[in-house]
Amino acid sequence: MPSGPPGYGYLVKHHILYESQYGFRESHSTTNAISELNSHILDNFDKRKMTLSLFLDLSKAFDTTDHSILLIKLGHYGIRGVSHEWFKSYLQNRQQYVKYKTCNSIPLNVDCGVPQGSVLGSILFILTQMTCQIVCQRQRVFSLLTAQRYMFLDTVRNPGLTL
């Protein structure tokens, strides 16, 4: 079983993660993602094709992950029963507050977002982004997902263009 954060072995065993998922994965570092990106662009250049790129920063998306949608996705990926209930208790009824020296703010409920700073939070975030990976694969759009960044590339298919 591959090493990694909690739940990682399950995701690998059941082939849930895409090969284009980098970051938080064994042998899939962000350096590997950049290498694959570079290779894709150079391959198109050698074929005298242009590459259209879109880069998205999803770092704030950790805070906006809807718990109910995430729980549905966990069920879809086969996490059910006691395990599903554990994730539900991990995500729901969370509170946060600010502490400054000896003063604490009033605790507020956290209705969305995955817990940051935890390895499990990263895995849960990746699962929320899987729908985008599925769409890209079906549309044959080359995409890479790192920890908090999406990279989309498509070949411009216009024979009238010259490089």
Side-chain angles (χ1 to χ4, degrees), residues 62-68 88-98 106-116:
F62 269 84
D63 298 330
T64 61
T65 301
D66 185 295
H67 293 166
S68 60
K88 186 176 179 180
S89 70
Y90 178 73
L91 291 169
Q92 295 182 338
N93 300 318
R94 298 180 75 86
Q95 292 188 322
Q96 68 182 16
Y97 67 95
V98 176
I106 298 170
L108 297 174
N109 292 332
V110 179
D111 298 326
C112 60
V114 292
Q116 295 185 40

Side-chain angles (χ1 to χ4, degrees), residues 52-71:
L52 175 67
S53 304
L54 173 66
F55 299 86
L56 300 176
D57 181 348
L58 302 175
S59 55
K60 296 296 181 190
F62 269 84
D63 298 330
T64 61
T65 301
D66 185 295
H67 293 166
S68 60
I69 292 172
L70 177 55
L71 290 168

Side-chain angles (χ1 to χ4, degrees), residues 8-59:
Y8 177 71
Y10 177 87
L11 298 175
V12 171
K13 178 181 175 184
H14 295 283
H15 308 287
I16 293 172
L17 297 177
Y18 284 85
E19 282 301 309
S20 57
Q21 165 60 55
Y22 291 88
F24 309 114
R25 290 188 67 191
E26 194 174 271
S27 302
H28 282 75
S29 70
T30 52
T31 302
N32 296 116
I34 292 169
S35 178
E36 187 174 344
L37 173 69
N38 190 45
S39 177
H40 185 80
I41 292 170
L42 290 175
D43 185 49
N44 277 343
F45 186 78
D46 288 344
K47 293 175 183 174
R48 303 190 55 77
K49 295 180 180 178
M50 296 175 77
T51 302
L52 175 67
S53 304
L54 173 66
F55 299 86
L56 300 176
D57 181 348
L58 302 175
S59 55

